[in-house]
Amino acid sequence: MVGASPMMRKIPSGVFGLNPLMDGGINERTVSVVIGAPGAGKTTFAINFLRRGLEQGEDAIFITLDEAPEQIVQEVIQMGWEDAQQHLDDGSMVFIDASGKQFTNFIQKELGAFVGEWTGHNARIVIDPLTPVLWSVKERYEQRDIVSYLLRETRKIGTVLCTLEEHGIQGDLAAPELVIPMYLADNVIHLRYKSHESPEKREMKIIKCRSSKHSRYWHPYRIVKGAGIIIQHASEEFAPAEKRVDFKMELKKQLGKVKAERLEAMHPMERDAMLHTLDSLANEDLSDLDPREVVTRILEEHGLI
Ligand SMILES: Nc1ncnc2c1ncn2[C@@H]1O[C@H](COP(=O)(O)OP(=O)(O)OP(=O)(O)O)[C@@H](O)[C@H]1O
Ligand SMILES: [Mg+2]
């Protein structure tokens, strides 16, 4: 696979707090893999990514390999993305349901035509999860061939993000079904989810990000209805829980500092989506997140601060 060149354009990831950790965002037309245990937030991550593209007028392709599209749509609406159905209705988002199919057949027989159909579009493509593709063939070299072909083809139509299931010991990224896609991908992000701890702990780390200076640390993250994944940055600036400020007040304060022209210059769809997200968070339980950091991460994602 051709690596990212320094000339590559960064696109915003849609995952709040991630762009600064990846040197400004995800390189356009690259392949990212997001690795995590069950419940880590892989699908949420993928949705954040697609949603951000849609806001900017890009197309979204969701290739699902184990859940039915209807179920995914229902879940994302429940997670606070009310516009999902509208994007499906107007065709800006499509689901490719490969869940009941022989993946090898789908990839070998249908993928070429599909890619041909979408050539010329500027899309974000999600493959969630990629793991069954690896399991659909037996030999290691076949696994490499099929995944390599799949990624090469899909990146022709845009920026690709695949998720990988982490089985067995968490943090052991040496399993063959992880290693092959990790090698082929341009970017690798690990979502570490310690569901056995109380309270549960979620942390993310960028394992690799070609052609970019990226963070080498673990960063805690939360999943919040309406916003999806929010990555926290280590900072003394944000107060401990007992000193929390009111979300609505904080929002008003920070938005007040943004120049009106900056807001007006935004793509209307993006601005509406951002304001809607911020608005909906006012009624959410942010648990231990500092509202000041939540507002900061969201305005930062949209380049307003
Ligand atoms: N409405 C909600 N509000 C807040 N958090 C939610 C909500 N719905 C789901 N979550 C959180 O998101 C987590 C699931 O995230 P997601 O489905 O993205 O994980 P995943 O890594 O894709 O899991 P899987 O391996 O099962 O596909 C849930 O465990 C839950 O903690
Ligand atoms: Mg999932």
Side-chain angles (χ1 to χ4, degrees), residues 92-118:
S92 50
M93 175 161 69
V94 295
F95 274 90
I96 309 295
D97 185 3
S99 61
K101 301 186 184 178
Q102 283 280 332
F103 305 126
T104 37
N105 270 347
F106 170 74
I107 292 165
Q108 284 160 3
K109 303 212 172 95
E110 296 178 44
L111 188 66
F114 171 73
V115 169
E117 232 174 84
W118 280 85

Side-chain angles (χ1 to χ4, degrees), residues 52-97:
R52 188 71 174 89
L54 285 163
E55 282 172 21
Q56 311 191 125
E58 297 165 24
D59 293 313
I61 303 169
F62 195 116
I63 305 178
T64 159
L65 288 156
D66 69 357
E67 264 181 281
E70 301 73 32
Q71 194 183 337
I72 298 170
V73 174
Q74 232 174 43
E75 281 167 12
V76 301
I77 293 174
Q78 242 171 30
M79 271 298 283
W81 187 20
E82 293 101 354
D83 293 345
Q85 189 61 50
Q86 204 195 314
H87 286 295
L88 285 172
D89 294 343
D90 68 23
S92 50
M93 175 161 69
V94 295
F95 274 90
I96 309 295
D97 185 3

Side-chain angles (χ1 to χ4, degrees), residues 170-285:
Q170 271 210 57
D172 173 19
L173 301 180
E177 74 262 23
L178 298 181
V179 167
I180 292 172
M182 279 173 72
Y183 265 117
L184 296 171
D186 302 291
N187 316 304
V188 177
I189 293 157
H190 188 194
L191 300 180
R192 186 164 67 178
Y193 178 36
K194 294 181 182 162
S195 55
H196 55 281
E197 286 191 13
S198 187
E200 60 182 27
K201 217 169 160 190
R202 296 178 192 271
E203 290 165 302
M204 68 79 62
K205 188 178 176 182
I206 299 154
I207 311 283
K208 98 175 180 189
C209 181
R210 281 185 185 150
S211 311
S212 302
K213 225 176 120 198
H214 65 84
S215 158
R216 313 266 159 185
Y217 297 97
W218 285 104
H219 300 273
Y221 68 92
R222 296 284 178 276
I223 300 176
V224 181
K225 188 177 172 187
I229 293 185
I230 300 176
I231 297 168
Q232 292 168 279
H233 292 200
S235 166
E236 286 171 8
E237 186 191 332
F238 300 115
E242 65 271 18
K243 289 191 188 159
R244 287 299 143 84
V245 294
D246 177 66
F247 184 87
K248 281 184 191 157
M249 299 272 286
E250 182 58 25
L251 177 56
K252 213 170 149 193
K253 187 172 145 202
Q254 288 207 40
L255 263 184
K257 287 190 202 156
V258 176
K259 290 213 165 71
E261 308 90 77
R262 296 287 302 279
L263 276 174
E264 274 157 30
M266 280 173 91
H267 191 300
M269 233 170 11
E270 178 181 353
R271 188 180 50 234
D272 290 352
M274 179 192 77
L275 293 175
H276 181 74
T277 296
L278 286 164
D279 222 32
S280 74
L281 288 177
N283 305 312
E284 281 306 316
D285 173 14

Side-chain angles (χ1 to χ4, degrees), residues 33-42 131 163-167 170 173 178 189-193 221:
V33 303
V34 177
I35 304 172
K42 300 180 293 297
T131 310
T163 69
L164 282 174
E165 294 168 355
E166 188 180 2
H167 297 271
Q170 271 210 57
L173 301 180
L178 298 181
I189 293 157
H190 188 194
L191 300 180
R192 186 164 67 178
Y193 178 36
Y221 68 92

